[in-house]
Amino acid sequence: KQWYQRRVRGEMIWIMRDVQSCTVACGAGGVMRNKGAVAIVLTVFGTSILFVTAHLRAHASKVKERNYETERIASSLDFSRYPKERQHNDIFDKVDCAFWFGDLNYRNTCDRQTAEDSISRDDLQPLLECDQLTQQVREKQTLTGFTEAPISFPPTFKFDPGTCNYDTSTKQRVPSWTDRILFRSSEDAITNKSYHYCPSLMSSDHRPVFGVYLVTLKPSPISQTIRAASGWFDKRAYAQGMKRRQYVQRTRSSSTKEHHMKQPSLIMKAVNGPAKVMASHKRSMVCSVM
């Protein structure tokens, strides 16, 4: 509950419900948590969304181990709203939308010189053909049913921290896309709007990767009152709260002459409209993953 209150827009909290979290350890002995995953599932209006962030086994030769870890994570995620006896394969068969992201550690299988030549020519295709994750997903060896937006940015690992130079140590690691975002949904409910990296953040040997996605939401089964994570959602109380929130924002910004109130959000328009609008119309939300 504390997580989503900090990470989502304030006005979205009221239309979220059934928030649950789960962790899976994949480190030494299946106990150490230096490798593994953290997952959160929630429902927005009538759409269930699952987020899984994972850190998998390192090194180019450990492809089978990474595939095993993704399978183990998928089969070990345990949420009380989805009883184990009802899970035929994994939790992803039970939710409408899912995002799987993090340091997945899949590498490029080409040699260092080939990678550097492709990057210097801004020709990523030879590198993409050597990408382990792309190969494994295509062969249905891991993350079955997931897809990824086209990659148009250079490899994000491994850099000398604080520089733009790929690994200059004696190991001379091959530049690779270790940090990835994949998604799957029923009825093509997820549309990618942006998929890129942050070249200016150089404190790590990785470069952060981010994605922006448009998620089409199914209508809630109840129009006026929805069971939300923070209690029962009451449309009238929510509308009054949003008006107070906007008033406070306007008051705080009154000293700035150029300040203009933002247009009412999609949710606010739904609240101010007919009571049936939440139940009878599909809505969309923008989801950013980093």
Side-chain angles (χ1 to χ4, degrees):
K1 182 176 177 179
Q2 292 178 345
W3 176 86
Y4 75 83
Q5 285 180 335
R6 293 192 183 105
R7 302 300 180 186
V8 302
R9 293 172 57 180
E11 63 184 51
M12 295 289 291
I13 294 175
W14 298 96
I15 46 84
M16 289 183 178
R17 55 190 172 92
D18 301 332
V19 181
Q20 294 183 353
S21 63
C22 179
T23 62
V24 179
C26 292
V31 177
M32 299 298 291
R33 296 179 180 272
N34 60 318
K35 297 293 188 291
V38 177
I40 292 179
V41 66
L42 50 84
T43 299
V44 182
F45 283 115
T47 299
S48 56
I49 307 176
L50 174 62
F51 297 93
V52 180
T53 179
H55 186 197
L56 305 181
R57 191 82 60 92
H59 305 303
S61 62
K62 303 295 185 179
V63 178
K64 291 183 179 179
E65 287 83 353
R66 286 189 283 273
N67 291 348
Y68 169 76
E69 287 174 350
T70 59
E71 181 180 354
R72 182 172 183 273
I73 290 169
S75 61
S76 299
L77 292 176
D78 187 11
F79 300 101
S80 60
R81 59 185 287 193
Y82 298 106
K84 277 289 184 179
E85 60 270 19
R86 296 179 55 193
Q87 295 180 14
H88 304 299
N89 296 310
D90 55 58
I91 186 64
F92 302 105
D93 296 326
K94 301 298 181 181
V95 297
D96 298 308
C97 301
F99 292 90
W100 187 302
F101 55 99
D103 182 3
L104 307 187
N105 257 323
Y106 287 89
R107 310 298 176 91
N108 286 325
T109 56
C110 64
D111 59 79
R112 174 67 180 254
Q113 189 59 51
T114 299
E116 290 183 341
D117 291 344
S118 296
I119 296 170
S120 63
R121 296 195 311 266
D122 197 23
D123 179 15
L124 301 179
Q125 191 56 39
L127 271 180
L128 291 170
E129 292 175 357
C130 299
D131 177 63
Q132 291 177 340
L133 180 57
T134 301
Q135 295 170 353
Q136 296 300 304
V137 172
R138 182 172 59 242
E139 296 171 5
K140 298 183 179 181
Q141 298 299 309
T142 188
L143 296 174
T144 304
F146 279 84
T147 188
E148 182 180 22
I151 295 177
S152 59
F153 49 89
T156 59
F157 175 86
K158 177 182 187 340
F159 288 90
D160 293 336
T163 75
C164 295
N165 303 320
Y166 286 105
D167 185 21
T168 60
S169 71
T170 56
K171 294 184 177 180
Q172 290 283 298
R173 293 178 179 84
V174 177
S176 302
W177 290 282
T178 57
D179 306 279
R180 312 288 279 269
I181 304 173
L182 295 91
F183 59 92
R184 62 179 283 181
S185 66
S186 58
E187 302 178 359
D188 297 323
I190 301 176
T191 302
N192 173 256
K193 308 300 289 185
S194 178
Y195 190 36
H196 219 273
Y197 81 128
C198 303
S200 60
L201 299 180
M202 300 187 293
S203 59
S204 170
D205 55 356
H206 293 253
R207 294 292 184 269
V209 173
F210 69 91
V212 179
Y213 303 86
L214 183 66
V215 180
T216 301
L217 302 177
K218 294 190 295 187
S220 173
I222 305 174
S223 59
Q224 186 72 15
T225 305
I226 304 173
R227 177 63 178 175
S230 297
W232 286 97
F233 171 77
D234 184 270
K235 180 180 172 181
R236 290 182 295 271
Y238 174 70
Q240 183 178 3
M242 282 300 299
K243 289 178 180 178
R244 290 181 179 178
R245 182 169 179 256
Q246 291 177 349
Y247 172 77
V248 171
Q249 290 176 338
R250 183 171 63 247
T251 302
R252 290 176 178 174
S253 304
S254 59
S255 59
T256 305
K257 294 182 180 180
E258 292 80 8
H259 173 75
H260 297 283
M261 284 299 295
K262 294 181 179 180
Q263 292 295 320
S265 67
L266 179 63
I267 298 174
M268 197 59 192
K269 289 178 181 178
V271 167
N272 289 331
K276 65 180 181 180
V277 71
M278 288 186 175
S280 59
H281 295 271
K282 286 188 176 181
R283 294 298 176 195
S284 298
M285 65 176 258
V286 175
C287 175
S288 60
V289 180
M290 184 172 182

